[in-house]
Structures are given as structure tokens and as C-alpha cells.
Amino acid sequence: MISPDIRNLLARTSPEGGVTAQGWVRTRRDSKACTFIEINDGSCLRGLQVVADNSLSCAGLYPKILTGASIRVMGDLVASPGGKQAFELLAKDLEIIGEADPAYPLQKKGHTTEFLREIAHLRPRTNLLGSVFRVRSRMAHAVNTFFQERGFFYIHTPIITSSDCEGAGEMFRVTTLPQGSTAKPEADFFGKPAYLTVSGQLQGEVFACAMGKIYTFGPTFRAENSNTARHAAEFWMIEPEMAFYDLEADMTLAEEHIKYLLRVLFETCGEELEFFNKFVDKELIARLQHTLDSPFQRVTYTEAVDLLLKSGRKFEYPVEWGQNLQSEHERFLAEEHFKSPVTVYNYPRSLKPFYMRQNDDGRTVAAMDVLVPGIGEIIGGSQREERLELLEAAMIAQGLNPETYRWYSDLRRYGTVPHSGYGLGFERFLMFATGVGNIRDVIPFARTPGHADF
Ligand code: 4AD
Ligand code: MG
């Protein structure tokens, strides 16, 4: 039987029993009697070893087959005596489709990820980035199957918007006015200030309050000037929103969601996982397996602050009730205290956006963040404020004009229902799933402060 990896590489099998394979050359090695060429077409991690006898009529081409060139090989698949691979392709004939200049930058293995970012147009040809983007594709598919199997509708929320969902003022302006223009916003394309969306949530709520359970999955943009390994200016977010769900149901769905994705990861990306475990993060598989096998821990923000204060640990940022949990605090909780993902809920009202539901204590809201080892926050969500007066009071308290959000508060005027949702950062999830430590390496062309190349 032909192994699935090799099957991917074969362009076609001919009725006479021969096969054709095509791909890009990784290495070529010449010996006295024959030439060994390793080709890969990116469909799987493993390449195919081609053995081309030096007596073939195409032998004159061999010296031109340099790393990076694309070739097509016709021949027979035979059991490989080498033991390194099960099969090899014994060439009968081959052709060069496109030669590669000797300056091809991916000559040898072992480039740094920093260097590879500078050649983002070539890096998907490496084992590391090829594996990351195969995983990205399969996980994107699994995001859709998870929700579709559960009766959620996929809603495409707008990318250009006039409302700041998170109220954090981190939006990119969209305008057709000439640079330096002092014209009023009314003169602009949309007749008012417009921005790239930071979240599809508000529009998602509209659809949840009509269709029950929905999700969005699309690009979001944040102009926060934080040059960290976990922040991108353009990233993809998955945002389910469910009518009639309270915070508890929201947290349960989030846990199921992550576990579902990990199960599909183990089922469909075994080869890539082995690779990451070997070359990127030796704890990866054990950590993911542990995540699958154990229930996520749950603590309130107040309990989390107590745990941090009692930890005896010196943190760079002080721990104090009412202050944001910093990445170091989140990672302490997930990595050292609980040693597993943990959902922190009921955050101080002053730390969170206007739309979160106020708790009866008057000082916290029904917010939740899922923190995972190695990364910290991967999901942020909440139960939404369904009571009109409280919602409008929260807008005013945060300096927002309720008139601007009239359409949003209408959902509370006409048949309001408790509802909840969350946002899973797709790249943060991919970092967790692959062990890759920098968000720039799980997104095809990263946009970060100072960088929008390609
Ligand atoms: O916690 P955030 O800001 O929540 C929202 O946007 C809500 N509207 C979601 C909702 O309830 N529907 O962002 C959600 C997640 C974060 O937990 C993080 O994983 C990711 O989005 N995220 C980023 N990922 C990469 N780069 C950034 N700059 C990110 N900012 C947030
Ligand atoms: Mg958040």
C-alpha cells in the first residue's frame, strides 16, 4: 500500500503502473551510478526520494537541478532499501519545470525564524512553516465543523464599521480623504468616521438575537502599539454568540471548543505534531494531551488575585484587586499554579467594556478569560448586559454616546434575552497547538507595528 504522504506527492499514476511526481527540489546528491533528489510539494511534511540513474537519457539535466528548482519525474515507486523512507521513486525520465537561481535562500535547513520572516514569500516551503500552515488550514476547517455540527450559523460581519466594539480606541481609520485633509467626517466616503473592525461581536449579537446561535470567523484589526510575541495588528477571531446562554454555559462551550479542536489536531495533524514536538517544543504533545484529558480549572478574578498575592512570587507588575492581570500573572496561574488551562471569571467592571453584564455585587461583571500555559489569554468573553437601563448607564460611564449605539440597545428594547459569547484568537490558539512562540510565525504575512511587507 502506498502511504498517504507519498500519495499526496504523486501527480498521477499511469495505467501501465508507472507514476508521476512533481515538486520542488530540497536536495540533490550525486554518486557514481546515480543521483538522489529529494522533492517535496508542500502537501505533507515528508518528501519523496527520487533515484535517477546516470545512464538515463535525461542525465544531462542533473547538474541544473538545484535546490529550489521545480521538476517532474516519471518512474516506478519501489520499496526503498535505505530504511529512511518506505518508498522511493526510481526515475525513468525527468524534466525541469523551473530552474532555481543558485542564490535561492533556502539552501540548507536550520534558518532562524527571524530570517525566515524576511523571506515570507519563500518560507512556506520550509518544513516548519509548511507544517504550521497545514495545521492552520485544518484547524480553520474544524472551527466550522464544530459550530455547524452544533447548529450554529456562520455570519459574516462587516470589516468596515463605525462602532468601536471594545471601546479601547485601538481602531485603524478607513478614509478616502487626502492626507492632511481638514475636511469634516461628513465629507468622507461613508459620511462619518469609519474604521477597520476590532471585533464582530456587536453585529454578531444582532444575529444571535434573531437566529439563536451564530459564530463569526474573520479578520480583525487592532492598532495597539504592543510589539510582543502575542499581538498582531491583523489577526483572525472566532466569535460565537448565543441567545439564552449565561456565563456558565459560555465557559462550558469555550472548553468544549478548544478540546474539539485539539482532538481534530491529533486526528489530522499527527505528522506535524511530531515535528513540532521534536524541533519546536519538547513538551508540546504532553501539554496538549493533558489539556484534553483534564477539566479546565475555574476561578473568579478575586480568587485569582488572592492566589497571586499568596504565591510569594515577585512579579514585575504589582498584583492588586482592580488592576489588569498581566501576562506574567496569567502565565503563573496556568503554568505554575494550575498547570492546565484556567478560566478566570467575574472581573472588575472598571477593566471591561460597556457591554458586559453587571453582577449583583455592583463591582464585577460576568466576564471570562481562558488562560493557557505558554501563552496566557487565548479567549475573552462574557455574558452581555441584557437590561436596557444598565447598558445605557455603562455606555455613559465609559464616555460613549448611547445614540451611536441605538441599534445595539434596540436588541434590549424589543424582546431582550440573556445572551453570551466569546472571542477565540485564532493565532493564539495556533501558537498553543503548535508550540510556536511568536504570533508572526503562525500567520502567513504578519502585520505588526512597523511591518506590513508583502
Ligand atoms: O478579549 P478580546 O479583546 O475580546 C473581544 O474582542 C470580544 N469582543 C470577544 C467576544 O466576546 N465576542 O479578544 C478576544 C481574543 C483574545 O482572547 C485573544 O486571543 C485575541 O482575541 N486577541 C489577539 N490576538 C492577536 N493579536 C492581538 N492584538 C489580539 N487581541 C486580542
Ligand atoms: Mg481580552
Side-chain angles (χ1 to χ4, degrees):
M1 207 190 71
I2 298 177
S3 90
D5 321 344
I6 302 236
R7 207 183 310 136
N8 280 342
L9 258 163
L10 302 177
R12 52 179 180 263
T13 42
S14 69
E16 304 87 67
V19 298
T20 300
Q22 50 199 12
W24 291 272
V25 174
R26 288 289 179 85
T27 55
R28 191 193 87 222
R29 186 165 56 81
D30 303 319
S31 78
K32 223 177 187 163
C34 53
T35 288
F36 299 93
I37 308 162
E38 159 125 355
I39 60 173
N40 185 288
D41 70 353
S43 61
C44 55
L45 188 61
R46 217 157 314 159
L48 180 61
Q49 165 152 286
V50 173
V51 184
D53 199 282
N54 292 345
S55 65
L56 291 179
S57 60
C58 57
L61 295 175
Y62 301 169
K64 290 199 213 162
I65 300 180
L66 303 185
T67 299
S70 51
I71 64 170
R72 182 177 297 127
V73 186
M74 286 64 71
D76 292 317
L77 262 195
V78 297
S80 175
K84 244 181 94 188
Q85 60 273 314
F87 290 92
E88 58 190 30
L89 181 58
L90 203 54
K92 289 183 191 150
D93 193 14
L94 62 78
E95 58 185 294
I96 297 176
I97 304 171
E99 286 184 32
D101 191 283
Y104 183 61
L106 294 173
Q107 293 298 339
K108 277 268 164 230
K109 293 176 190 165
H111 296 294
T112 64
T113 47
E114 287 80 6
F115 170 72
L116 293 175
R117 274 173 226 147
E118 290 168 17
I119 50 165
H121 58 305
L122 297 172
R123 69 175 184 165
R125 297 185 189 191
T126 62
N127 284 340
L128 175 66
L129 279 298
S131 297
V132 165
F133 294 118
R134 282 189 296 276
V135 168
R136 186 172 171 120
S137 169
R138 292 174 193 142
M139 290 296 98
H141 181 66
V143 163
N144 284 297
T145 53
F146 174 76
F147 288 118
Q148 296 285 338
E149 284 167 6
R150 285 162 182 73
F152 286 64
F153 297 102
Y154 187 11
I155 302 300
H156 298 118
T157 49
I159 287 173
I160 300 175
T161 177
S162 57
S163 40
D164 181 0
C165 172
E166 295 306 296
E170 290 165 341
M171 302 201 292
F172 288 101
R173 180 85 185 265
V174 177
T175 177
T176 51
L177 293 174
Q179 222 168 19
S181 164
T182 51
K184 293 213 166 74
E186 295 79 61
D188 204 348
F189 190 91
F190 296 106
K192 56 160 84 170
Y195 308 90
L196 294 178
T197 186
V198 295
S199 159
Q201 178 196 320
L202 301 188
Q203 294 92 346
E205 284 186 51
V206 168
F207 278 80
C209 293
M211 299 169 76
K213 295 189 288 185
I214 66 95
Y215 66 107
T216 73
F217 181 15
T220 47
F221 307 86
R222 296 203 183 171
E224 51 191 332
N225 207 351
S226 35
N227 228 327
T228 78
R230 306 175 307 124
H231 288 88
E234 175 177 324
F235 61 99
W236 282 57
M237 194 162 28
I238 299 141
E239 295 184 274
E241 188 72 33
M242 297 75 66
F244 310 108
Y245 269 49
D246 61 8
L247 186 71
E248 165 89 28
D250 199 37
M251 296 192 284
T252 302
L253 184 75
E255 177 171 347
E256 268 177 44
H257 186 184
I258 290 185
K259 288 184 169 172
Y260 177 95
L261 295 180
L262 293 184
R263 273 196 301 278
V264 176
L265 179 76
F266 276 109
E267 278 161 25
T268 64
C269 303
E271 187 179 64
E272 285 80 8
L273 275 178
E274 295 287 343
F275 176 83
F276 298 135
N277 204 66
K278 195 159 165 201
F279 295 109
V280 179
D281 177 354
K282 302 238 180 307
E283 312 287 313
L284 177 70
I285 291 181
R287 186 184 318 120
L288 296 177
Q289 192 62 55
H290 177 69
T291 302
L292 259 182
D293 295 342
S294 41
F296 289 12
Q297 304 294 310
R298 279 184 197 174
V299 282
T300 64
Y301 167 89
T302 304
E303 289 163 348
V305 165
D306 278 348
L307 287 172
L308 290 164
L309 287 173
K310 289 192 188 125
S311 70
R313 183 59 75 89
K314 275 250 171 310
F315 294 108
E316 194 185 328
Y317 292 89
V319 179
E320 195 190 334
W321 201 98
Q323 295 297 314
N324 261 317
L325 295 182
Q326 299 293 328
S327 171
E328 56 173 345
H329 306 139
E330 296 179 342
R331 293 186 56 174
F332 172 82
L333 292 171
E335 279 159 41
E336 298 185 44
H337 187 81
F338 291 108
K339 298 190 169 57
S340 85
V342 50
T343 309
V344 180
Y345 63 101
N346 290 348
Y347 280 76
R349 186 178 158 179
S350 59
L351 295 179
K352 294 292 185 184
F354 68 92
Y355 55 71
M356 295 192 178
R357 189 177 198 279
Q358 201 181 112
N359 287 325
D360 293 341
D361 63 12
R363 60 178 204 154
T364 63
V365 287
M368 64 98 166
D369 278 2
V370 177
L371 318 177
V372 298
I375 295 172
E377 179 189 341
I378 191 173
I379 283 181
S382 63
Q383 183 167 343
R384 320 308 188 187
E385 184 56 80
E386 84 281 14
R387 298 159 295 185
L388 182 62
E389 314 74 63
L390 289 175
L391 179 66
E392 291 194 331
M395 287 177 184
I396 291 164
Q398 299 201 5
L400 302 170
N401 180 359
E403 259 327 290
T404 322
Y405 292 90
R406 172 101 197 169
W407 58 273
Y408 180 72
S409 37
D410 267 356
L411 303 175
R412 283 73 179 167
R413 270 183 202 97
Y414 309 125
T416 193
V417 290
H419 60 287
S420 302
Y422 60 82
L424 168 62
F426 191 44
E427 286 77 14
R428 297 257 178 105
F429 172 77
L430 289 172
M431 292 170 72
F432 182 59
T434 60
V436 166
N438 197 307
I439 197 164
R440 292 164 182 78
D441 302 324
V442 296
I443 192 158
F445 299 99
R447 272 76 180 101
T448 51
H451 295 276
D453 303 327
F454 305 97

